[in-house]
Amino acid sequence: MEKWKKIIAGSLNNSDELAEKFGLDAGTLDKINKIFPCRIPGSWLKHFTSKNDPLFRQCVPDPAELMDSKELIDDPLGEVRFKKNEVIVQKYPDRCLFLVSGECAMYCRFCTRKRKFKEPFVITQKDIDNGLQYIMEHKELRDVLISGGDPLLLDDDRLEYILQKIKSADHIKIVRIGTRVPGVLPERITAKLVKMLKKYHPLYMNIHFNHPAEFLPDTCRALKRLADAGIVLGSQTVLLKGINDDPETMRSLMWKLLENRVRPYYIFQCDLVYGTAHFRTPLSKAQEISSALRGWSSGMANAQLVIDLPGGGGKVPVTVNYLKERDGNKLCYRNYCGEEYIYTDISEDDMEKK
Ligand SMILES: *Cc1c(COP(=O)(O)O)cnc(C)c1O
Ligand code: SF4
């Protein structure tokens, strides 16, 4: 058995063990497990410092997950509405999601696709082939996002089968892999895997990172290996109360990403998925973080803050208003440190005269 598979087989997921280790109630844990499984990676387990540890809170079940709230639902992103078959979700004109794996190296307590894990989330070869067929037939697609679950939990052969088929379609120009593996199971980023992946350029990888403490030495090595293979690395972050909802933590996370050759891409407002009320932050927090990054840190450290709209509306930016007022063609802007500057616009009439 490959090393990474042994690590997964040995990860902590059993209620009794969890209860004992973290002083939680085994009955409550059983209830939580029925809604959403638990899997805690060994590499993280070693680093927990307390119950408020940002790594601990992301993966250890919390009784708060059992609380009801009417805004928090099964399918906050309306994926059921836009699903084309068991594994394809297409909301946008030129790109689609392709769910290829029903397993993750760690189960993040705030996962937006919790509903999928209620029953064992199984994706069959037939499902994969139906997904591939959809991609082949839909010539408007240019960009396929391979997701799940975590695609890097597939065996190399299965993943290669998928990449090779997608790549054989002339209309598909890029493939993106969405994964949390480099941060939670870096042992999976083997030389063999990377050698296979680099045959399928242009290949992009968007990696889920939420806290600077996730950059353990093995993770940094895995990122280097991926970047050296020419895979374009980006990040996705979820804004989480008590974990990364302050400008300092976010700034340091963005810098960790850049230092490890990962380009910050999105920071998501936490989706309205059931059992996550304890992770939610107000929108004003997202705006505060955006303002604290813009101008104060490298432009490259400015991930776009977005809300993935309920009901399947797609992603919209969380904006901060820098325009103070407008008088005719004179616009008064506040810059990042609050100073005011005038910009003179040109009207369409003036442009015609020139
Ligand atoms: C997020 C998402 C995408 C990708 O959106 P980008 O803004 O291009 O990164 C595509 N399809 C679905 C269904 C999504 O949820
Ligand atoms: S890795 Fe992604 S899909 Fe898997 S549990 Fe975490 S958020 Fe959900």
Side-chain angles (χ1 to χ4, degrees):
M1 202 197 270
E2 287 170 87
K3 185 175 168 202
W4 64 272
K5 288 193 180 161
K6 281 195 198 138
I7 295 175
I8 290 196
S11 56
L12 181 56
N13 57 9
N14 161 300
S15 293
D16 291 335
E17 238 180 295
L18 271 168
E20 195 187 306
K21 207 164 178 78
F22 302 117
L24 296 162
D25 176 63
T28 309
L29 285 172
D30 276 339
K31 270 191 219 151
I32 298 175
N33 253 323
K34 284 207 183 83
I35 310 175
F36 187 53
C38 165
R39 181 176 274 174
I40 300 176
S43 55
W44 280 33
L45 199 56
K46 287 194 286 233
H47 287 269
F48 294 154
T49 49
S50 74
K51 287 195 174 177
N52 293 323
D53 183 291
L55 304 187
F56 182 100
R57 291 203 45 228
Q58 289 187 62
C59 59
V60 177
D62 185 326
E65 290 173 39
L66 296 172
M67 280 191 315
D68 273 341
S69 161
K70 63 178 185 323
E71 301 92 46
L72 303 183
I73 55 172
D74 252 35
D75 178 26
L77 304 185
E79 291 186 339
V80 172
R81 181 176 154 213
F82 288 96
K83 104 179 209 206
K84 304 299 175 185
N85 59 40
E86 280 314 306
V87 291
I88 299 281
V89 181
Q90 188 181 352
K91 276 186 199 170
Y92 291 111
D94 70 340
R95 55 206 188 279
C96 71
L97 270 184
F98 184 9
L99 310 182
V100 301
S101 159
E103 206 183 345
C104 298
M106 170 176 111
Y107 291 109
C108 317
R109 306 320 299 167
F110 43 84
C111 178
T112 198
R113 248 170 242 137
K114 269 187 177 182
R115 68 177 190 286
K116 289 279 196 183
F117 299 93
K118 254 187 201 159
E119 309 290 330
F121 178 11
V122 180
I123 293 172
T124 62
Q125 185 59 40
K126 178 103 181 42
D127 293 332
I128 297 279
D129 287 331
N130 289 340
L132 290 167
Q133 192 184 344
Y134 181 91
I135 292 165
M136 296 300 152
E137 286 169 359
H138 286 258
K139 307 284 184 210
E140 77 279 14
L141 297 171
R142 287 188 284 208
D143 171 4
V144 176
L145 281 78
I146 303 184
S147 180
D150 201 310
L152 296 188
L153 261 73
L154 295 182
D155 283 326
D156 294 0
D157 295 352
R158 264 194 105 187
L159 187 56
E160 179 157 23
Y161 171 84
I162 294 166
L163 289 171
Q164 198 181 8
K165 288 272 158 101
I166 296 178
K167 186 78 181 161
S168 74
D170 286 338
H171 57 288
I172 304 299
K173 305 300 179 200
I174 62 169
V175 175
R176 302 191 233 178
I177 294 179
T179 178
R180 195 160 186 176
V181 153
V184 293
L185 183 66
E187 298 81 357
R188 172 69 185 102
I189 311 299
T190 59
K192 179 167 158 278
L193 172 72
V194 173
K195 188 167 166 219
M196 181 279 279
L197 291 176
K198 71 191 269 195
K199 290 195 264 172
Y200 299 96
H201 281 315
L203 185 65
Y204 290 72
M205 192 178 276
N206 281 335
I207 312 175
H208 185 160
F209 280 110
N210 294 333
H211 195 275
E214 292 166 28
F215 291 80
L216 297 166
D218 285 347
T219 290
C220 298
R221 273 191 289 275
L223 293 173
K224 179 175 186 306
R225 192 173 253 181
L226 291 165
D228 284 348
I231 299 167
V232 186
L233 306 180
S235 71
Q236 313 218 105
T237 295
V238 184
L239 191 49
L240 298 164
K241 186 168 132 196
I243 293 177
N244 58 16
D245 64 335
D246 68 281
E248 241 352 278
T249 306
M250 227 22 130
R251 209 170 359 220
S252 121
L253 171 61
M254 296 299 120
W255 271 99
K256 279 280 182 205
L257 292 166
L258 289 175
E259 285 167 27
N260 285 284
R261 301 152 77 185
V262 184
R263 183 86 195 255
Y265 182 45
Y266 278 144
I267 299 174
F268 291 98
Q269 185 74 2
C270 193
D271 292 325
L272 304 183
V273 67
Y274 59 86
T276 59
H278 56 300
F279 285 122
R280 291 190 69 193
T281 54
L283 260 183
S284 55
K285 198 40 111 176
Q287 290 170 314
E288 182 195 336
I289 288 170
S290 176
S291 313
L293 290 171
R294 175 73 52 207
W296 296 101
S297 222
S298 162
M300 291 205 300
N302 281 251
Q304 177 75 65
L305 279 124
V306 292
I307 306 177
D308 213 335
L309 292 172
K315 299 170 185 72
V316 288
V318 174
T319 51
V320 172
N321 190 14
Y322 288 91
L323 180 63
K324 189 188 168 207
E325 58 196 11
R326 175 177 191 145
D327 181 9
N329 64 349
K330 302 281 184 207
L331 288 88
C332 176
Y333 281 99
R334 275 198 199 98
N335 76 351
Y336 71 102
C337 41
E339 300 159 351
E340 292 176 9
Y341 290 87
I342 305 290
Y343 174 79
T344 309
D345 195 18
I346 180 166
S347 72
E348 295 197 5
D349 287 352
D350 287 346
M351 275 176 62
E352 273 158 28
K353 277 184 227 139
K354 278 177 188 157

